[in-house]
Structure formats: C-alpha cells, structure tokens
Amino acid sequence: MSASLCIKNLQLFRDSEQLLSLNEKVNGGEILTIMGPSGSGKSSLLNWLTGTLASRFNVQGEVWLNDKNVSHLPTHLRHIGVLYQDALLFSHLTVAGNIAFAMPQGNKQQRLDKIEHALEQVGLVGLTHRHPDHLSGGQQARVALLRLLLSEPKAILLDEPFSKLDTQLRVDIRKLVFEQIRHHQLPAIMVTHDHSDAQAANGKVITLSTSGDLYAR
C-alpha cells in the first residue's frame, strides 16, 4: 500500500466565517505547499490535521492517512509529525535524549545505534551527548528533523520551519528536509510565506486568501 494523506471534503469555519474548502491528496514523497496571508487558515488547517483545532472553529470533512480515516483519533495516534519554526528542543536533555524522547520504545542500545547512525547521515557525528544550548541554529534544526523522522511518522507537516534561518542555512536545511521526505516516501504539507520554499518543494501550490478563495498551480 502506497503512502498518502487525503483531505476529504474539508469545510473550515471560524465562528460563522468560512476560511477554506479543500479536497486534496498528497502521495508519499510529495510536498503540497500552502501559502497565504495571516488569517487565511494555514495554521488552522495544520491544527485540524493533527487534531488540535480550537473549539471556536467549526469543521466538516475527514483526514485519511494511508487509506485509513484518522479524523476522530487523538493526536498521538494519528502519527502525523510536525516540524516547526523553532527547533523546540529540551535544553535539559542531550541531543540523543531529545531524539530518543520521540522514538518508539525498544531496545536501548539499538535505539542509540540508530540515533548515532542518523546523526552521522546529517553531519552531526560526535554530538550525541551535547546539549542543545551548545549547538548552532543549523545543528538544532538538524536534530529537530531527526527527532521527527525517528518518531516514525506516517506523514509530515512543515509549519514554516525554515523562516528563522539565514539565507544559506535556509537553502541547506530545506534541501536536507525535502531529501528526507522523498527518501522516506512520506506525504508532506508545507505552510510558508516564502516563494523560494514553494519552488524548492517542486509540488502543487495552493494560495489561500482571507476571503476564503484559493488558487492552485
């Protein structure tokens, strides 16, 4: 069965105002980009997908992940991971501790071996026992990505994860994130204000407006 994330017949309202209407399917390895001004519903869409939408919103529609309706499952059972603007690492935990925190339970040594192998793949050899406060912004971004990937998500949401990085670092981290999404064949949805992000994602782009209209290309 191929991986896919489907948004079926979504009608999203804030109070009585319709924010968006959407039907989309994202296959494994694809990145759907959502753009639009503040207040157009981008963050609300991500919150709905993860099951964390505030009660002031009214919503109709279903979330299907790998041909399974997950709309009524609690957040932790949906297996939809999110990469945010901030790395959100725990300062009291080491790099290994931060990554292990999100991993499925299992043999401790096997998990550590997996972490060290992953760190090696993204150029972070030797940082296993370092704390996040002693890492650069780029290193923190890589650790956050590994924590997400090793939690074994079935889909990934990108909530402007590159917006706080300087230009060259943004290009490098974005390339790494997109490569990992395609390598693991995960369906992904990215929210961004940056057209270069959308171009680099090389997928469908939907632009939302504050009037509830949307434009796709």
Side-chain angles (χ1 to χ4, degrees), residues 13-211:
F13 296 83
R14 180 174 51 215
D15 300 322
S16 59
E17 172 196 6
Q18 183 168 13
L19 289 178
L20 54 90
S21 173
L22 202 58
N23 270 290
E24 289 295 332
K25 180 178 181 180
V26 186
N27 292 314
E30 293 179 348
I31 303 166
L32 170 66
T33 299
I34 308 288
M35 304 189 73
S38 298
S40 59
K42 303 186 304 298
S43 295
S44 300
L45 171 62
L46 298 189
N47 291 339
W48 173 69
L49 287 166
T50 57
T52 58
L53 190 65
S55 58
R56 64 179 292 224
F57 292 90
N58 296 310
V59 63
Q60 300 172 8
E62 295 175 342
V63 185
W64 285 70
L65 185 55
N66 299 344
D67 298 325
K68 178 183 178 182
N69 187 349
V70 300
S71 308
H72 303 294
L73 292 179
T75 300
H76 69 283
L77 294 179
R78 294 193 182 197
H79 300 291
I80 297 176
V82 187
L83 199 61
Y84 295 98
Q85 289 182 21
D86 297 305
L88 301 177
L89 301 175
F90 298 113
S91 59
H92 67 287
L93 295 178
T94 63
V95 165
N98 270 279
I99 297 172
F101 182 82
M103 291 176 69
Q105 294 299 313
N107 178 276
K108 184 176 181 180
Q109 187 58 50
Q110 289 178 345
R111 294 167 84 213
L112 183 57
D113 290 345
K114 194 171 184 179
I115 289 169
E116 290 182 341
H117 176 66
L119 289 170
E120 183 180 353
Q121 287 184 313
V122 299
L124 297 179
V125 174
L127 300 187
T128 308
H129 302 295
R130 191 170 295 185
H131 283 75
D133 293 346
H134 300 288
L135 301 178
S136 68
Q139 290 171 334
Q140 290 183 8
R142 287 184 170 95
V143 173
L145 173 61
L146 293 184
R147 179 177 60 183
L148 174 60
L149 292 173
L150 269 62
S151 73
E152 300 181 5
K154 296 178 181 177
I156 287 182
L157 306 180
L158 305 171
D159 189 1
E160 301 195 52
F162 318 118
S163 63
K164 293 188 175 181
L165 303 174
D166 64 45
T167 303
Q168 186 54 52
L169 189 55
R170 184 186 190 114
V171 171
D172 294 342
I173 296 298
R174 184 173 62 201
K175 180 174 182 287
L176 175 64
V177 170
F178 292 170
E179 283 176 349
Q180 291 298 314
I181 286 170
R182 292 177 178 124
H183 174 72
H184 292 278
Q185 283 295 291
L186 294 167
I189 295 178
M190 174 175 64
V191 161
T192 183
H193 285 96
D194 194 295
H195 289 278
S196 68
D197 289 346
Q199 186 175 20
N202 195 30
K204 184 175 181 178
V205 179
I206 294 176
T207 302
L208 306 178
S209 77
T210 52
S211 65

